[in-house]
Amino acid sequence: AQSVTQLGSHVSVSEGALVLLRCNYSSSVPPYLFWYVQYPNQGLQLLLKYTSAATLVKGINGFEAEFKKSETSFHLTKPSAHMSDAAEYFCAVSGTSYGKLTFGQGTILTVHP
Amino acid sequence: KAGVTQTPRYLIKTRGQQVTLSCSPISGHRSVSWYQQTPGQGLQFLFEYFSETQRNKGNFPGRFSGRQFSNSRSEMNVSTLELGDSALYLCASSLGDRGPANEKLFFGSGTQLSVL
Protein backbone atom coordinates (compact mmCIF):
# COMPACT_ATOMS: atom_id res chain seq x y z
CA ALA A 1 0.00 0.00 0.00
CA GLN A 2 1.09 3.55 -0.63
CA SER A 3 0.56 6.71 1.39
CA VAL A 4 1.72 10.29 1.31
CA THR A 5 2.08 12.85 4.09
CA GLN A 6 2.41 16.53 3.38
CA LEU A 7 3.88 18.47 6.26
CA GLY A 8 2.14 21.79 6.70
CA SER A 9 -1.34 22.47 5.41
CA HIS A 10 -0.45 26.14 4.88
CA VAL A 11 2.84 27.72 3.83
CA SER A 12 3.33 31.46 3.49
CA VAL A 13 6.31 33.09 1.78
CA SER A 14 7.24 36.52 0.49
CA GLU A 15 7.56 37.15 -3.21
CA GLY A 16 11.12 36.30 -4.25
CA ALA A 17 11.70 33.94 -1.33
CA LEU A 18 12.44 30.23 -1.49
CA VAL A 19 9.45 27.90 -1.68
CA LEU A 20 9.75 24.56 0.13
CA LEU A 21 6.79 22.19 0.30
CA ARG A 22 7.37 18.94 2.13
CA CYS A 23 6.21 15.47 1.17
CA ASN A 24 7.03 12.10 2.71
CA TYR A 25 5.83 8.83 1.23
CA SER A 26 5.36 5.25 2.23
CA SER A 27 5.34 2.55 -0.40
CA SER A 28 5.74 -1.20 -0.44
CA VAL A 29 6.93 -1.07 -4.06
CA PRO A 30 9.26 1.34 -5.85
CA PRO A 31 7.21 4.52 -5.89
CA TYR A 32 6.27 6.79 -8.72
CA LEU A 33 5.86 10.25 -7.24
CA PHE A 34 4.09 13.33 -8.51
CA TRP A 35 3.46 16.94 -7.62
CA TYR A 36 0.26 18.56 -8.85
CA VAL A 37 -0.96 22.15 -8.48
CA GLN A 38 -4.58 23.26 -8.22
CA TYR A 39 -5.63 26.83 -8.79
CA PRO A 40 -9.01 28.00 -7.44
CA ASN A 41 -11.98 26.49 -9.25
CA GLN A 42 -9.75 24.44 -11.51
CA GLY A 43 -8.58 20.88 -11.87
CA LEU A 44 -5.12 19.54 -11.14
CA GLN A 45 -2.11 20.38 -13.28
CA LEU A 46 0.95 18.14 -13.28
CA LEU A 47 4.09 19.97 -12.13
CA LEU A 48 6.55 17.09 -12.24
CA LYS A 49 6.95 13.34 -11.95
CA TYR A 50 9.62 11.04 -10.53
CA THR A 51 10.08 7.64 -12.11
CA SER A 52 13.61 6.64 -10.92
CA ALA A 53 15.47 8.00 -13.96
CA ALA A 54 16.99 10.82 -11.89
CA THR A 55 16.68 11.84 -8.25
CA LEU A 56 16.38 15.54 -9.07
CA VAL A 57 13.33 16.20 -11.19
CA LYS A 58 12.69 19.49 -12.91
CA GLY A 59 9.16 20.52 -13.64
CA ILE A 60 7.21 23.38 -15.08
CA ASN A 61 7.15 26.98 -13.80
CA GLY A 62 10.61 26.69 -12.24
CA PHE A 63 9.71 23.99 -9.71
CA GLU A 64 11.87 21.00 -8.94
CA ALA A 65 11.79 18.11 -6.49
CA GLU A 66 14.44 15.79 -5.09
CA PHE A 67 13.78 12.13 -4.36
CA LYS A 68 15.59 10.93 -1.22
CA LYS A 69 15.05 7.25 -0.61
CA SER A 70 16.85 7.25 2.74
CA GLU A 71 14.46 9.92 4.01
CA THR A 72 11.43 8.68 2.03
CA SER A 73 10.93 12.27 0.95
CA PHE A 74 10.07 14.12 -2.24
CA HIS A 75 10.08 17.81 -1.32
CA LEU A 76 9.10 20.48 -3.85
CA THR A 77 11.18 23.64 -4.17
CA LYS A 78 11.34 26.83 -6.18
CA PRO A 79 14.17 29.32 -5.69
CA SER A 80 12.07 32.47 -6.03
CA ALA A 81 8.32 32.65 -5.43
CA HIS A 82 6.00 34.60 -7.70
CA MET A 83 2.56 35.86 -6.85
CA SER A 84 1.19 33.53 -9.52
CA ASP A 85 2.47 30.52 -7.54
CA ALA A 86 -0.29 30.97 -4.97
CA ALA A 87 -2.33 27.79 -5.16
CA GLU A 88 -2.81 24.42 -3.48
CA TYR A 89 -0.14 21.80 -4.07
CA PHE A 90 -0.60 18.05 -3.86
CA CYS A 91 1.96 15.31 -3.59
CA ALA A 92 0.87 11.93 -4.91
CA VAL A 93 2.19 8.39 -5.22
CA SER A 94 1.21 5.59 -7.55
CA GLY A 95 2.03 1.93 -7.52
CA THR A 96 1.13 -0.64 -10.09
CA SER A 97 -2.47 0.33 -10.84
CA TYR A 98 -3.46 2.43 -13.79
CA GLY A 99 -5.19 5.68 -12.97
CA LYS A 100 -4.91 5.29 -9.21
CA LEU A 101 -2.96 7.96 -7.40
CA THR A 102 -2.85 8.33 -3.62
CA PHE A 103 -2.76 12.02 -2.75
CA GLY A 104 -1.56 13.90 0.26
CA GLN A 105 -3.88 16.33 2.00
CA GLY A 106 -2.50 19.29 0.14
CA THR A 107 -0.53 22.41 1.07
CA ILE A 108 -1.94 25.85 0.40
CA LEU A 109 0.83 28.23 -0.66
CA THR A 110 0.30 31.93 -0.03
CA VAL A 111 2.70 34.46 -1.56
CA HIS A 112 2.91 37.92 0.00
CA PRO A 113 4.09 40.96 -1.97
CA LYS B 1 -5.48 19.62 -28.58
CA ALA B 2 -8.51 20.04 -26.38
CA GLY B 3 -8.09 19.12 -22.73
CA VAL B 4 -10.27 16.96 -20.53
CA THR B 5 -13.83 18.25 -20.57
CA GLN B 6 -16.27 17.69 -17.74
CA THR B 7 -19.94 18.58 -17.79
CA PRO B 8 -21.83 20.05 -16.14
CA ARG B 9 -19.60 22.43 -14.18
CA TYR B 10 -22.07 22.77 -11.31
CA LEU B 11 -24.96 20.62 -10.10
CA ILE B 12 -27.42 21.00 -7.27
CA LYS B 13 -29.44 17.97 -6.22
CA THR B 14 -31.49 16.89 -3.23
CA ARG B 15 -31.03 13.83 -1.03
CA GLY B 16 -32.30 10.64 -2.57
CA GLN B 17 -31.93 11.77 -6.16
CA GLN B 18 -29.44 10.35 -8.60
CA VAL B 19 -26.94 12.21 -10.75
CA THR B 20 -24.85 11.53 -13.85
CA LEU B 21 -21.59 13.32 -14.59
CA SER B 22 -19.82 13.28 -17.92
CA CYS B 23 -16.14 13.30 -18.91
CA SER B 24 -14.60 13.58 -22.36
CA PRO B 25 -10.91 12.64 -22.38
CA ILE B 26 -8.12 14.10 -24.43
CA SER B 27 -8.24 12.78 -27.98
CA GLY B 28 -6.32 9.51 -28.18
CA HIS B 29 -6.54 8.80 -24.46
CA ARG B 30 -8.29 5.55 -23.64
CA SER B 31 -8.09 5.58 -19.84
CA VAL B 32 -10.43 7.65 -17.70
CA SER B 33 -10.18 7.85 -13.92
CA TRP B 34 -12.57 9.48 -11.47
CA TYR B 35 -11.75 11.17 -8.16
CA GLN B 36 -13.80 12.73 -5.39
CA GLN B 37 -12.38 15.83 -3.68
CA THR B 38 -13.76 17.07 -0.35
CA PRO B 39 -12.27 19.40 2.28
CA GLY B 40 -12.33 16.64 4.88
CA GLN B 41 -11.19 13.57 2.95
CA GLY B 42 -9.12 15.22 0.24
CA LEU B 43 -8.71 13.51 -3.11
CA GLN B 44 -9.92 9.94 -3.25
CA PHE B 45 -9.81 7.52 -6.17
CA LEU B 46 -13.18 6.20 -7.32
CA PHE B 47 -12.46 4.01 -10.35
CA GLU B 48 -10.64 3.75 -13.66
CA TYR B 49 -11.89 2.62 -17.06
CA PHE B 50 -9.98 1.48 -20.10
CA SER B 51 -11.52 0.27 -23.35
CA GLU B 52 -14.99 0.22 -21.79
CA THR B 53 -13.85 -2.00 -18.89
CA GLN B 54 -13.37 -1.06 -15.27
CA ARG B 55 -9.78 -1.96 -14.41
CA ASN B 56 -9.44 -0.49 -10.94
CA LYS B 57 -11.80 0.51 -8.18
CA GLY B 58 -11.47 2.47 -4.97
CA ASN B 59 -13.28 2.01 -1.67
CA PHE B 60 -16.63 3.60 -2.38
CA PRO B 61 -20.10 2.12 -1.92
CA GLY B 62 -22.00 0.58 -4.80
CA ARG B 63 -24.05 3.76 -5.16
CA PHE B 64 -21.10 5.08 -7.14
CA SER B 65 -20.83 3.55 -10.58
CA GLY B 66 -19.42 4.41 -13.92
CA ARG B 67 -19.12 3.36 -17.50
CA GLN B 68 -17.08 4.10 -20.56
CA PHE B 69 -18.21 4.27 -24.15
CA SER B 70 -16.46 3.13 -27.29
CA ASN B 71 -15.25 6.69 -27.97
CA SER B 72 -13.59 6.68 -24.49
CA ARG B 73 -16.03 9.19 -23.04
CA SER B 74 -17.03 8.24 -19.54
CA GLU B 75 -19.95 8.83 -17.23
CA MET B 76 -20.17 8.52 -13.48
CA ASN B 77 -23.45 7.90 -11.71
CA VAL B 78 -24.32 8.37 -8.06
CA SER B 79 -27.64 6.98 -6.92
CA THR B 80 -29.59 7.78 -3.75
CA LEU B 81 -27.58 10.90 -3.04
CA GLU B 82 -26.51 11.68 0.51
CA LEU B 83 -25.41 15.01 1.97
CA GLY B 84 -21.89 13.63 2.25
CA ASP B 85 -21.69 13.17 -1.50
CA SER B 86 -21.30 16.93 -1.90
CA ALA B 87 -17.87 17.28 -3.48
CA LEU B 88 -15.84 18.25 -6.49
CA TYR B 89 -15.69 15.28 -8.84
CA LEU B 90 -12.64 15.23 -11.05
CA CYS B 91 -11.91 13.03 -13.98
CA ALA B 92 -8.50 12.43 -15.50
CA SER B 93 -7.43 10.87 -18.74
CA SER B 94 -4.27 9.14 -19.87
CA LEU B 95 -3.11 6.87 -22.66
CA GLY B 96 -3.66 3.85 -20.44
CA ASP B 97 -1.39 1.36 -22.18
CA ARG B 98 2.21 2.39 -21.42
CA GLY B 99 2.46 0.90 -17.95
CA PRO B 100 1.50 2.80 -14.77
CA ALA B 101 5.05 4.12 -14.41
CA ASN B 102 4.85 5.88 -17.75
CA GLU B 103 1.36 7.30 -17.37
CA LYS B 104 0.60 10.97 -16.89
CA LEU B 105 -2.88 11.89 -15.72
CA PHE B 106 -4.45 15.02 -17.17
CA PHE B 107 -7.31 16.37 -15.10
CA GLY B 108 -10.45 18.22 -16.05
CA SER B 109 -11.80 21.21 -14.12
CA GLY B 110 -14.33 19.06 -12.32
CA THR B 111 -18.03 19.03 -11.57
CA GLN B 112 -19.04 20.67 -8.29
CA LEU B 113 -21.93 18.68 -6.85
CA SER B 114 -24.00 20.08 -4.02
CA VAL B 115 -26.52 17.84 -2.29
CA LEU B 116 -29.20 19.65 -0.29
Side-chain angles (χ1 to χ4, degrees), chain B residues 85-98:
Chain B
D85 296 333
S86 294
L88 179 67
Y89 289 89
L90 293 164
C91 88
S93 77
S94 67
L95 291 169
D97 59 0
R98 306 292 171 91

Side-chain angles (χ1 to χ4, degrees), chain A residues 32 34 36 38 41-46 49 51 88 90 94-105, chain B residues 9 33 35 37 40-41 43 45 48 55-56 88 90 96-105 107-109:
Chain A
Y32 306 116
F34 306 79
Y36 280 87
Q38 186 175 34
N41 300 314
Q42 294 188 27
L44 301 171
Q45 181 182 5
L46 179 65
K49 174 184 175 184
T51 56
E88 189 163 16
F90 293 91
S94 74
T96 57
S97 298
Y98 281 102
K100 183 177 180 181
L101 296 177
T102 300
F103 286 89
Q105 287 298 310
Chain B
R9 185 71 179 91
S33 305
Y35 286 81
Q37 184 177 22
Q41 298 298 316
L43 283 149
F45 172 75
E48 185 258 358
R55 276 196 303 197
N56 295 298
L88 179 67
L90 293 164
D97 59 0
R98 306 292 171 91
N102 298 315
E103 292 286 298
K104 287 184 180 179
L105 268 60
F107 284 81
S109 296

Side-chain angles (χ1 to χ4, degrees), chain B residues 48-109:
Chain B
E48 185 258 358
Y49 286 86
F50 178 78
S51 291
E52 303 178 66
T53 300
Q54 186 181 90
R55 276 196 303 197
N56 295 298
K57 187 176 185 301
N59 297 320
F60 278 80
R63 300 185 297 108
F64 292 82
S65 63
R67 60 178 176 169
Q68 187 180 35
F69 302 96
S70 57
N71 62 357
S72 295
R73 189 178 71 86
S74 177
E75 289 182 346
M76 191 191 91
N77 184 274
V78 188
S79 63
T80 319
L81 284 166
E82 301 177 358
L83 296 179
D85 296 333
S86 294
L88 179 67
Y89 289 89
L90 293 164
C91 88
S93 77
S94 67
L95 291 169
D97 59 0
R98 306 292 171 91
N102 298 315
E103 292 286 298
K104 287 184 180 179
L105 268 60
F106 295 86
F107 284 81
S109 296

